[in-house]
Amino acid sequence: MGWNSWDCFGTTVTEAEVLANAQVMHDQLLHAGWDTIVVDIAWYDPTARSHGYNDNAPVVLDEYGRQLPAPNRFPNGFAALASKVHELGLRFGLHIMRGIPRRAVELDLPIHGTSWTASEVADRDNVCAWNPDNFGLNHDHPGAQAYYDAQVAQFAEWGVDFVKADDMLAPYHEREIAAYARAIERSGRDIVLSLSPGTQLSTHHLDHLRANARMWRISDDLWDRWEDVHAQFARLARWAPFQQAGAWADADMLPLGHIGIRAERGDDRASRLSLDEQKTLLTLWVMGRSPLMMGGDLPTSSPETLSLLANPALSEVLTSSYDGREVIREPLDDGELIVWTARGRDCSYAAIFWTGSTPREVSVPLESLAAKGSAQNLWGDPTDGDVPAHGVRWLKFS
């Protein structure tokens, strides 16, 4: 459960903005289970801008071709930033692209601790289709692993607790993933490895994912559109049976609150999802036990948004439930009745979703909900009556 800078600041977030979000998380959300702050892509680009990436960006590197935070945006560096985040009782994370910076290859910088150079280990034909910063690595050359080892060792020295490694899954880069996991293990620091993005990710890769990562995306970027949220029902239904401690399918960030401030996509706005759609998103994610990464700017998001995030039921279901699964999917007129259930400690949970565009009264047999005892609506709404359009009735039985 954390915050990521992508949905609100895209490639452009600054040290001050990261710390402001960390402070709000500490003050208002830490008690509810939110504990991780992540700086997303291009923190090493001093010329980063909204609505896209820079070709031939003057990325900041050390003498070994490893990215450094742009000093105009992070004047105190990441070791100091991580320390401040840790002082707030939070964990610090960052984003990285697979491969080695093009600029390191052009300058033919040495690989730390080796006699090899960047041009020897780069795979110039293996590049990301949507980001120009890096070349791939040639994992037939031992210097490729050495580069990742040195990069992650530096992250560990800074105090990084979480790495979002991008362009790993679509297509599936098996050797890249294994090499990055190996580098984390060699760093000696407990660092969560999160893989992205997950367009059309198949469960065929499950064993390899579990062996190497703790989180992996199961879709492309999700934005504040109902159709994006609706598409995750099928994806989470497919992945939920495989969720287990330390190995989580990730349905992507939460485009809630104040987003698009300087984002890669869209303009400055409050999330276009209705309140009921936001409740549906959060409920589906935790019933499917997806990690939660808030995408909106916490200091400027509404009190209503922060209240949703502070609901203690999110952490309760996410961390203590098991056997979460879809049990009913039934087309009805202009929408679908979708029901999820999960088990808990001396209790059970049920989420009754209605995807239609107008409210509807729905009836679900209690035996379908594995329900015993009295019902409590975990969003504080009535336990009966109509389910809102694109909404949910989220129940705990105990």
Side-chain angles (χ1 to χ4, degrees):
M1 297 175 69
W3 174 84
N4 180 294
S5 59
W6 174 249
D7 284 358
C8 45
F9 298 114
T11 64
T12 72
V13 71
T14 67
E15 179 178 305
E17 289 163 338
V18 172
L19 288 172
N21 276 274
Q23 190 66 56
V24 175
M25 181 175 287
H26 169 270
D27 295 345
Q28 301 189 46
L29 297 175
L30 179 58
H31 73 278
W34 300 85
D35 66 358
T36 301
I37 294 289
V38 181
V39 177
D40 211 275
I41 194 168
W43 41 267
Y44 38 78
D45 182 357
T47 62
R49 59 185 175 84
S50 59
H51 300 119
Y53 303 105
N54 291 321
D55 292 327
N56 301 312
V59 298
V60 183
L61 304 175
D62 71 4
E63 65 269 35
Y64 301 110
R66 299 177 295 186
Q67 296 94 335
L68 296 174
N72 61 323
R73 295 166 53 200
F74 301 95
N76 294 299
F78 273 178
L81 179 56
S83 179
K84 290 182 179 180
V85 170
H86 292 156
E87 288 172 5
L88 294 171
L90 307 173
R91 297 187 296 171
F92 177 71
L94 53 75
H95 171 288
I96 199 69
M97 294 295 299
R98 71 172 179 89
I100 188 167
R102 288 175 183 255
R103 188 160 184 248
V105 176
E106 291 162 359
L107 296 172
D108 202 20
L109 296 175
I111 307 299
H112 182 269
T114 79
S115 59
W116 300 306
T117 65
S119 66
E120 293 177 87
V121 305
D123 181 351
R124 292 171 175 80
D125 296 324
N126 182 6
V127 296
C128 176
W130 47 266
N131 179 275
D133 292 343
N134 286 7
F135 287 122
L137 283 165
N138 173 14
H139 287 281
D140 291 329
H141 192 296
Q145 182 68 58
Y147 178 77
Y148 275 161
D149 290 350
Q151 182 186 67
V152 177
Q154 181 157 265
F155 294 166
E157 290 174 7
W158 291 343
V160 170
D161 307 295
F162 181 105
V163 171
K164 174 185 174 183
D166 214 338
D167 194 37
M168 287 289 202
L169 301 175
Y172 193 86
H173 293 282
E174 183 171 311
R175 297 181 74 185
E176 291 273 2
I177 293 167
Y180 220 90
R182 193 176 301 116
I184 287 175
E185 182 179 7
R186 290 175 176 177
S187 78
R189 185 172 178 84
D190 182 17
I191 298 175
V192 172
L193 178 58
S194 171
L195 303 176
S196 186
T199 310
Q200 304 299 322
L201 183 63
S202 169
T203 56
H204 169 76
H205 300 294
L206 183 63
D207 289 344
H208 188 259
L209 289 164
R210 284 175 170 171
N212 290 285
R214 289 198 227 172
M215 293 167 49
W216 50 85
R217 282 266 298 279
I218 58 173
S219 72
D220 204 346
D221 287 0
L222 178 131
W223 286 98
D224 52 331
R225 300 174 294 213
W226 168 247
E227 55 267 31
D228 287 19
V229 177
H230 183 264
Q232 300 302 69
F233 277 98
R235 293 188 178 103
L236 276 170
R238 183 168 65 252
W239 281 94
F242 304 109
Q243 300 282 47
Q244 66 179 39
W248 305 107
D250 173 14
D252 199 18
M253 282 178 281
L254 314 174
L256 309 179
H258 187 190
I259 62 175
I261 298 169
R262 297 189 306 276
E264 183 264 346
R265 193 170 308 178
D267 295 320
D268 191 340
R269 65 193 183 279
S271 176
R272 293 174 297 206
L273 296 173
S274 70
L275 179 61
D276 289 315
E277 290 168 347
Q278 294 178 51
K279 291 179 179 179
T280 289
L281 184 158
L282 288 165
T283 305
L284 176 62
W285 266 232
V286 299
M287 291 294 285
R289 301 193 76 188
S290 167
L292 301 180
M293 279 286 169
M294 171 62 176
D297 182 47
L298 295 174
T300 57
S301 291
S302 69
E304 291 78 11
T305 298
L306 295 179
S307 178
L308 290 179
L309 300 178
N311 185 340
L314 297 175
S315 178
E316 174 186 329
V317 176
L318 187 62
T319 61
S320 67
S321 71
Y322 61 97
D323 196 25
R325 59 197 174 101
E326 180 184 284
V327 296
I328 295 174
R329 181 184 285 257
E330 181 182 353
L332 294 173
D333 300 331
D334 72 333
E336 297 167 296
L337 169 66
I338 301 175
V339 178
W340 279 65
T341 61
R343 302 179 186 275
R345 301 188 187 103
D346 303 317
C347 66
S348 63
Y349 306 96
I352 303 168
F353 300 98
W354 169 239
T355 69
S357 57
T358 57
R360 185 183 179 101
E361 184 174 0
V362 298
S363 178
V364 180
L366 287 179
E367 56 268 23
S368 298
L369 304 180
K372 294 180 181 180
S374 59
Q376 170 195 359
N377 191 308
L378 294 174
W379 286 119
D381 301 321
T383 58
D384 54 12
D386 289 352
V387 179
H390 300 169
V392 63
R393 184 182 302 148
W394 192 21
L395 304 175
K396 176 180 180 179
F397 296 92
S398 58

